[in-house]
Amino acid sequence: PADDTPTGEVLIAEPPEGWLETGAMQTPAIRMAEYGPPDQQDGNLERITFESQTGKPLPDPIQFVLAVSRDLAVRCREFQDINISSGLENGYPTSVRLMICPEFKDAPNGQVVMAKAIQGNEQFYVITRRLRTPPLSEAGQPLTAQEMAEWATHLRGIMVSDPRTEEHSCPAASVEPE
């Protein structure tokens, strides 16, 4: 198949099994695809978004997720922000944060966001998994420990690779033969 990306860099990412595409956008500077489970219930709305940007200079992943956190904090009551990890993944600077908004100041709901930002050599990648919920009581946790582990494990499996380099090599199963 023809490769429609302008580079050899590849975001290796899949939505959770069974999820369906709910939206997509492509411009010369940005590509985005959003997915959600087929059966949303209980007033919750869960989505995962994959985004790649080509604008230069490419942002620093830590600064990027901190900016997302600051923007969300302004709109939330009792905001929580947790650094999950920051460092190199497959040779690329990467940062992952968990943000919990128990209740928006201007909306009758809360939100949990786990964002992963990866600074490639040619593109910047953002993977955002979010769950919109009814307002969260102080005692209530928006995700069970098992759900949190599933989110973290899923995001950990998402990576950028470049088949042209050893430093950013791709897992063997991810590179389709031409």
Side-chain angles (χ1 to χ4, degrees):
D3 183 6
D4 62 357
T5 59
T7 71
E9 267 181 10
V10 180
L11 177 65
I12 299 172
E14 292 288 330
E17 192 171 331
W19 284 30
L20 307 172
E21 188 172 300
T22 58
M25 177 183 80
Q26 184 164 347
T27 70
I30 190 169
R31 290 173 44 163
M32 186 273 296
E34 181 181 76
Y35 297 84
D39 52 349
Q40 297 285 298
Q41 54 197 339
D42 302 331
N44 292 347
L45 179 66
E46 191 170 357
R47 294 286 185 261
I48 190 164
T49 306
F50 303 104
E51 197 176 309
S52 62
Q53 309 166 19
T54 57
K56 303 289 188 211
L58 297 174
D60 174 87
I62 295 172
Q63 295 306 315
F64 183 89
V65 292
L66 284 172
V68 170
S69 176
R70 281 192 302 273
D71 290 348
L72 197 54
V74 169
R75 301 173 43 220
C76 289
R77 291 178 170 72
E78 308 297 323
F79 182 70
Q80 299 172 53
D81 177 22
I82 303 145
N83 179 38
I84 301 297
S85 65
S86 293
L88 294 178
E89 286 187 13
N90 201 31
Y92 293 106
T94 303
S95 187
V96 181
R97 288 192 93 75
L98 174 65
M99 295 156 264
I100 301 172
C101 176
E103 185 175 4
F104 285 103
K105 295 174 183 173
D106 60 351
N109 59 285
Q111 183 168 262
V112 180
V113 177
M114 190 176 284
K116 180 173 188 171
I118 307 167
Q119 183 188 55
N121 291 325
E122 297 149 345
Q123 297 188 60
F124 187 74
Y125 306 88
V126 182
I127 302 88
T128 308
R129 186 155 177 181
R130 63 190 182 283
L131 174 65
R132 189 176 68 208
T133 66
L136 304 166
S137 69
E138 289 181 29
Q141 286 298 318
L143 297 174
T144 66
Q146 180 179 346
E147 289 169 325
M148 186 68 66
E150 288 170 9
W151 280 36
T153 299
H154 183 246
L155 261 66
R156 194 175 310 117
I158 294 172
M159 65 184 289
V160 174
S161 69
D162 187 337
R164 302 170 300 182
T165 70
E166 293 265 336
E167 180 186 9
H168 308 296
S169 63
C170 300
S174 68
V175 180
E176 296 292 321
E178 292 290 317

